């Protein structure tokens, strides 16, 4: 499964099995591909990469995705 398919599968709810595979990918690569796939802003893409890499909790990731698009952390 390629990187974009793994990210898409993660977003569709297959979090645990995809997180293990995505943990091996570089932060910048995760961020850039998430943004490309979803068309979201950098804050949300960065939160995704931070969560996958274990830098923030799942709740923090979810909270970031519910903030207005122009808000920064």
């Amino acid at each position: 499964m390629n990187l974009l398919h793994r990210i898409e599968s993660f977003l569709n709810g297959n979090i645990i099995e995809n997180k293990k595979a995505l943990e091996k990918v570089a932060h910048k690569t995760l961020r850039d591909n998430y943004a490309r796939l979803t068309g979201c802003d950098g804050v949300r893409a960065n939160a995704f990469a931070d969560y996958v890499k274990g830098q923030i909790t799942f709740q923090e990731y979810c909270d970031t995705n519910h903030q207005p698009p122009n808000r920064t952390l």
Side-chain angles (χ1 to χ4, degrees), residues 36-70:
R36 187 173 112 200
L37 181 66
T38 63
C40 72
D41 64 20
V43 172
R44 288 179 172 89
N46 201 55
F48 168 77
D50 286 350
Y51 168 67
V52 168
K53 296 305 239 177
Q55 297 172 356
I56 63 173
T57 66
F58 186 72
Q59 186 59 53
E60 290 169 313
Y61 163 70
C62 292
D63 291 347
T64 299
N65 282 315
H66 291 99
Q67 294 175 359
N70 61 352

Side-chain angles (χ1 to χ4, degrees), residues 13-36:
N14 300 316
I15 295 170
I16 294 173
E17 60 270 17
N18 287 297
K19 186 174 185 283
K20 290 180 189 248
L22 292 170
E23 286 174 341
K24 300 172 187 168
V25 178
H27 189 280
K28 182 180 181 337
T29 303
L30 286 170
R31 185 184 68 226
D32 293 350
N33 281 279
Y34 180 90
R36 187 173 112 200

